[in-house]
Amino acid sequence: MIKSIFFIVIFCVGIVFFSFSALNKNAEHVKNRISLSLTHDNDTTQDKDTIKPKGLINKVIQPFKFNTNERIRVKKFLYKWNIKNTIAERDIKKIVTYDVQNEHARIKKMLQDRINKDSVNLAKVISKLKIDANAMKAELLAKIKLDSIKNKPHGDTAVNPITKPTNKEPVIADAGTSQMAQITDVKTRQQKINLVRRLFKAPIIVYNAKNPDSVRIEQLGVTHTAQVLGFYPNKSNSNITNFNFKLITTLVYSLNLIDGTPDESAINTSIINIAQKAGCNVTLSIYNNNKNEISKLLKSRDTSFIHKSITLLRRNNASGINFNFIGVDRNLRGYFVTFIRNLHNAYQKTPEHFKITISIPANDKSVGYDLVALDEFVQNFIIDYSVVPDAPGSLAPLNDGSNNSVETCFSFYLGTGIAASKFILGISYSGVAWINQPQKALPSIPYNKIRTNYSTAVVIYKKGESAAHIELDYKKTFIDIWYDNERTLGEKYEFALNHALGGIAIKNLGDDNGYGELQDELIDKFIKIDTCVTGIIVNKHTFISSLRDFIGLLFKSPCGQRINPTYSKNLGIINLCTIALLIVLVTVLFFQVKQKGDTCKYKRPLTSALIVLFALWSLVFLLWLFFWDKNV
């Protein structure tokens, strides 16, 4: 009995010892198998431990293999999970592949249809462009052919000599003989001229009652639409002491400082004083026709001319200097630029900062002026049309196709890239006369002498020439006179305004003494009536009138203005209310953020409202300061 019990105890101890040993081995094995199963999810083979236990002992021990059982359970779970994911991934892949293929086919079909449609439209557009291009090409070739005929040099064509004055069978001047249409509303034009002449004497106060609530007090004055320069040489015999200098913006007083130093008696200071009292600027013009003297001045390194010119400009209270040299050629081109640069630098060091303008011949055949290099130092370029041309014809033809025409010259000068406002169209109030046999130019004739001596002559207008032309018997031959009257000057004034030029320059003042039509044309084109509101009389304080008065005062200085005290009071109330609202919004925003932090849904709208309200308060506060009666 005892032996049996002892045997049973030893048997049980052996079983327990064997079980613990097996558990330790199984634990290490499970650890390795789990790691291997996680890296190889598709491995479907079974380990020895997953085989069902055989024998009684293994069946008894199997429930106690906790690690082995857990490993088997995890592995089965991972296997099932892997199978499910593989099936789901395959299904999703099929669906996505199907949708992508269908979408690709749809997009491809849509693009193909669009390409086919656009190809048809593009073919139509190309066909239309080809037709238009052929038409434009034919038109351009015709125009080039016509321009080449017009611009053909005079020497290439035989000119039939004139044997008798065409004045015997004159061309009747009508609306078709000039580019500019005749003035139809003569009454309106004359009313403007009469009003401007009244405003030259003194401004006119007008009470304008546009509405029954208030009356606007307006002051009518005059202003210029562009610069109007008037040349006057110191050796002129014309008396311009009675000239209305309000017609021009600048008096250009011409004298010669090169051939000799003029004393004070050479300058008519009374004319300069009258022009300055009328509100004109004064520019001194240095003219010279002697090429040797000009070359000597430009090549000299002596600074005496600079000091002399500064002294003369200050003595006459002038704003600048003009150079009107005839004889600057290609050889003096660089010297002239250096001379102007040095003069400009010296003038900029003076408190007055004197300005420089240069007169340039209309057709600079000798290429003596480098405009691009001079642009930096020059305020204006005056394109001078007072020089007598080499062949009979107008001094300043508008667009007759010649190289001397206004349109041709300005096309060249504007093509340099210099601003159009820096160019000034220089015109002459004198006519050019040519004798037929022998053919030569006679001295220039002022406009007033042409009107006085040849008032019975028939005026001929040729299209494109834009000049008044008369033919007269002269001894055994005849002479031709070309000059500008109010009609042809109007065309050139329109050219200057339409091309945004800096203005015009008249050469010379006094050549039209005794006749007023040229001044009337100047008024019509370059003088405009300016209206300035000086005050408002409120008849009835309505909301509209108060608002209009309030807005009007915003654009005026508060000093010296009568301001309604209600503006300051009302603005002060609005100012206080705005400050109170700002305080309330700041308080609400502070507590909301403190309690809810960044999750506060009112944080952004409250911040935006505060910014807008602060900007509004700043505006109201400034308006209150502006209209505060104690600050006026």
Side-chain angles (χ1 to χ4, degrees):
M1 184 67 180
I2 295 173
K3 289 181 179 181
S4 299
I5 294 172
F6 179 76
F7 179 78
I8 292 170
V9 171
I10 291 175
F11 178 77
C12 291
V13 171
I15 291 174
V16 171
F17 177 80
F18 179 80
S19 298
F20 275 107
S21 177
L23 285 174
N24 290 332
K25 291 181 181 180
N26 288 336
E28 185 68 21
H29 186 67
V30 167
K31 182 178 180 181
N32 294 331
R33 292 299 296 170
I34 289 176
S35 174
L36 183 62
S37 64
L38 290 175
T39 56
H40 302 280
D41 292 335
N42 296 326
D43 187 8
T44 58
T45 60
Q46 294 182 346
D47 296 334
K48 294 180 179 181
D49 296 325
T50 59
I51 302 174
K52 293 182 179 180
K54 296 180 180 181
L56 179 62
I57 296 175
N58 290 332
K59 288 182 180 180
V60 173
I61 295 174
Q62 183 64 31
F64 296 98
K65 295 181 179 181
F66 301 107
N67 292 335
T68 302
N69 295 335
E70 182 63 19
R71 181 186 62 78
I72 294 171
R73 188 187 68 80
V74 170
K75 186 173 181 179
K76 288 181 178 179
F77 172 77
L78 291 175
Y79 177 75
K80 292 180 181 179
W81 179 78
N82 189 28
I83 293 297
K84 289 180 180 180
N85 283 352
T86 303
I87 296 172
E89 182 179 355
R90 185 176 63 250
D91 295 339
I92 292 172
K93 187 175 181 180
K94 289 181 180 179
I95 295 172
V96 171
T97 303
Y98 176 76
D99 291 343
V100 169
Q101 290 176 351
N102 289 344
E103 184 67 16
H104 177 72
R106 187 185 68 80
I107 293 175
K108 184 176 180 181
K109 184 176 181 303
M110 181 183 69
L111 291 176
Q112 188 64 38
D113 295 341
R114 183 63 181 271
I115 290 172
N116 295 336
K117 184 177 179 181
D118 290 345
S119 299
V120 175
N121 294 335
L122 184 60
K124 293 180 179 179
V125 172
I126 292 173
S127 178
K128 187 175 182 303
L129 288 176
K130 286 182 178 179
I131 296 173
D132 294 343
N134 292 331
M136 290 176 65
K137 182 179 179 181
E139 183 180 355
L140 184 61
L141 290 175
K143 186 176 180 181
I144 292 173
K145 185 177 180 181
L146 181 61
D147 290 343
S148 63
I149 294 174
K150 287 184 177 181
N151 294 328
K152 192 173 183 180
H154 296 290
D156 296 344
T157 317
V159 180
N160 295 326
I162 301 176
T163 58
K164 64 175 182 178
T166 57
N167 194 36
K168 300 296 180 62
E169 297 177 359
V171 178
I172 304 300
D174 56 22
T177 58
S178 187
Q179 296 95 324
M180 187 181 68
Q182 294 298 296
I183 300 173
T184 55
D185 195 355
V186 179
K187 184 177 179 181
T188 303
R189 177 178 181 270
Q190 192 60 43
Q191 286 178 349
K192 175 191 174 182
I193 293 172
N194 295 337
L195 179 58
V196 169
R197 291 192 180 278
R198 285 183 58 194
L199 293 174
F200 280 153
K201 297 179 180 179
I204 299 176
I205 303 299
V206 177
Y207 296 89
N208 191 350
K210 290 188 176 180
N211 58 77
D213 299 333
S214 62
V215 177
R216 295 173 60 183
I217 304 175
E218 300 176 349
Q219 178 177 300
L220 301 182
V222 293
T223 185
H224 291 80
T225 57
Q227 294 185 70
V228 180
L229 282 64
F231 277 78
Y232 183 78
N234 63 332
K235 295 181 179 180
S236 175
N237 296 322
S238 300
N239 185 6
I240 61 171
T241 53
N242 295 324
F243 177 75
N244 185 4
F245 285 96
K246 292 184 179 180
L247 285 169
I248 62 176
T249 59
T250 304
L251 170 66
V252 185
Y253 193 91
S254 302
L255 66 157
N256 188 349
L257 284 181
I258 299 177
D259 294 343
T261 303
D263 54 14
E264 287 301 310
S265 61
I267 300 177
N268 193 336
T269 56
S270 62
I271 292 177
I272 294 178
N273 293 334
I274 294 172
Q276 289 174 341
K277 287 181 181 179
C280 287
N281 295 320
V282 173
T283 296
L284 297 182
S285 178
I286 311 303
Y287 66 88
N288 196 279
N289 302 336
N290 191 325
K291 182 178 179 181
N292 294 330
E293 292 293 336
I294 295 173
S295 176
K296 182 180 177 181
L297 172 68
L298 298 181
K299 294 180 179 180
S300 175
R301 296 184 179 181
D302 188 8
T303 60
S304 59
F305 177 84
I306 297 177
H307 299 302
K308 186 190 304 182
S309 64
I310 292 175
T311 302
L312 201 62
L313 290 172
R314 286 176 175 170
R315 190 173 296 168
N316 293 278
N317 197 22
S319 60
I321 194 170
N322 167 262
F323 290 96
N324 188 9
F325 291 162
I326 297 177
V328 178
D329 56 12
R330 188 188 303 271
N331 298 327
L332 297 176
R333 181 184 177 98
Y335 292 105
F336 189 77
V337 173
T338 303
F339 173 79
I340 294 298
R341 180 177 64 246
N342 295 336
L343 192 67
H344 169 78
N345 294 336
Y347 284 173
Q348 292 304 305
K349 294 178 182 179
T350 63
E352 297 85 356
H353 298 288
F354 299 115
K355 305 298 181 182
I356 301 175
T357 60
I358 299 176
S359 295
I360 300 173
N363 187 9
D364 185 17
K365 297 179 181 179
S366 58
V367 196
Y369 299 91
D370 188 351
L371 269 63
V372 177
L374 293 170
D375 183 33
E376 181 182 355
F377 316 112
V378 176
Q379 183 184 29
N380 288 113
F381 297 101
I382 301 175
I383 310 303
D384 188 8
Y385 278 91
S386 64
V387 181
V388 178
D390 297 333
S394 170
L395 285 174
L398 188 59
N399 57 356
D400 63 350
S402 66
N403 292 333
N404 194 50
S405 68
V406 174
E407 284 194 356
T408 301
C409 291
F410 273 95
S411 295
F412 170 75
Y413 286 128
L414 293 177
T416 58
I418 301 173
S421 59
K422 297 198 71 171
F423 291 101
I424 293 177
L425 175 61
I427 55 178
S428 177
Y429 270 9
S430 295
V432 57
W434 281 79
I435 189 172
N436 183 259
Q437 291 180 358
Q439 191 178 78
K440 66 176 182 179
L442 298 176
S444 299
I445 308 174
Y447 174 82
N448 52 4
K449 289 186 178 181
I450 296 174
R451 286 294 313 274
T452 302
N453 297 332
Y454 311 113
S455 59
T456 59
V458 176
V459 180
I460 303 169
Y461 296 93
K462 292 184 179 179
K463 193 171 183 65
E465 194 173 51
S466 184
H469 178 202
I470 60 176
E471 295 179 348
L472 305 165
D473 291 326
Y474 183 75
K475 296 180 180 180
K476 294 183 180 181
T477 180
F478 63 93
I479 60 174
D480 290 274
I481 300 176
W482 287 269
Y483 67 99
D484 280 311
N485 58 14
E486 70 278 9
R487 180 176 177 181
T488 60
L489 285 176
E491 294 179 3
K492 292 159 188 174
Y493 293 164
E494 289 287 346
F495 177 88
L497 294 173
N498 293 336
H499 287 76
L501 302 183
I504 62 167
I506 300 169
K507 200 173 186 180
N508 292 304
L509 296 180
D511 286 350
D512 63 335
N513 281 351
Y515 297 90
E517 57 269 17
L518 300 190
Q519 294 186 14
D520 288 347
E521 192 64 29
L522 203 62
I523 292 173
D524 185 42
K525 294 297 188 296
F526 288 98
I527 304 294
K528 69 176 181 179
I529 300 172
D530 188 26
T531 303
C532 178
V533 179
T534 59
I536 298 177
I537 301 175
V538 180
N539 299 327
K540 183 180 179 182
H541 289 280
T542 61
F543 176 76
I544 299 298
S545 64
S546 299
L547 182 61
R548 190 185 302 111
D549 188 21
F550 177 79
I551 295 174
L553 288 172
L554 289 176
F555 298 95
K556 297 179 181 179
S557 172
C559 301
Q561 299 289 337
R562 182 186 177 278
I563 299 177
N564 194 333
T566 57
Y567 296 153
S568 176
K569 180 180 177 181
N570 294 336
L571 287 171
I573 295 174
I574 296 174
N575 191 24
L576 293 176
C577 293
T578 308
I579 292 174
L581 188 58
L582 275 172
I583 294 173
V584 172
L585 287 179
V586 169
T587 305
V588 172
L589 180 62
F590 174 77
F591 283 104
Q592 286 289 328
V593 173
K594 183 178 179 181
Q595 293 177 1
K596 299 181 181 180
D598 292 337
T599 60
C600 178
K601 62 180 180 179
Y602 300 109
K603 179 181 177 180
R604 187 170 182 178
L606 284 175
T607 304
S608 302
L610 275 173
I611 294 173
V612 174
L613 192 61
F614 182 79
L616 179 63
W617 170 76
S618 301
L619 176 63
V620 173
F621 180 72
L622 292 175
L623 289 175
W624 174 72
L625 290 178
F626 185 82
F627 288 102
W628 190 22
D629 53 355
K630 294 184 180 180
N631 195 30
V632 177

